[in-house]
Amino acid sequence: MTSTSFQPALFVVLCFALATTYGFAQQGHISINQDEKISTLLETKKEMNKNEYDPDRYKIQIYSGGRSEALESKKEFTEIFADKEASIQYETPNFKIWTGNFRTRLEADRALKIIKKEFPTAFIFKPKKEKL
């Protein structure tokens, strides 16, 4: 190999090495500026959503009846609707399966429309206020 044919190949290799070294050596810094009230608002919203038995919220009842059937209904519900949580409540003499914690009737209606395809007896209600 002559030195004249070696020079273009060396130049290409050198250019490639420099391009990859400087091309992937990027670093950045992100700075987020937001009003402090946003964090307070988010915390307040989290606290509001924790209150599952707020009488101003809507729920959907999936099932009401015996214990074993309630457990089976809950299992079936969570298999079909993996993104939704269901809870078992006991109100003498029935076990009930409830889902949702909807702030508006419209939200509950939208969810009920989907749920009724699998559980035709499902309905919307507002839980009773708990006595202290």
Side-chain angles (χ1 to χ4, degrees), residues 63-98:
Y63 173 82
S64 178
R67 183 174 186 264
S68 60
E69 294 88 356
L71 292 171
E72 187 60 37
S73 292
K74 182 182 179 200
K75 180 181 174 191
E76 182 181 351
F77 179 82
T78 54
E79 286 174 358
I80 296 170
F81 301 102
D83 61 327
K84 296 185 181 354
E85 289 187 32
S87 63
I88 295 180
Q89 306 295 321
Y90 180 70
E91 290 182 1
T92 307
N94 294 316
F95 288 85
K96 299 178 179 190
I97 307 299
W98 294 353

Side-chain angles (χ1 to χ4, degrees), residues 35-83:
D35 192 336
E36 292 176 12
K37 293 177 183 175
I38 292 175
S39 297
T40 305
L41 183 63
L42 289 172
E43 289 302 317
T44 304
K45 173 127 176 74
K46 285 179 191 176
E47 287 300 315
M48 286 174 56
N49 287 341
K50 282 182 182 177
N51 189 359
E52 197 171 318
Y53 298 103
D54 185 345
D56 293 328
R57 300 288 178 115
Y58 294 92
K59 293 197 171 286
I60 297 175
Q61 182 166 303
I62 307 300
Y63 173 82
S64 178
R67 183 174 186 264
S68 60
E69 294 88 356
L71 292 171
E72 187 60 37
S73 292
K74 182 182 179 200
K75 180 181 174 191
E76 182 181 351
F77 179 82
T78 54
E79 286 174 358
I80 296 170
F81 301 102
D83 61 327

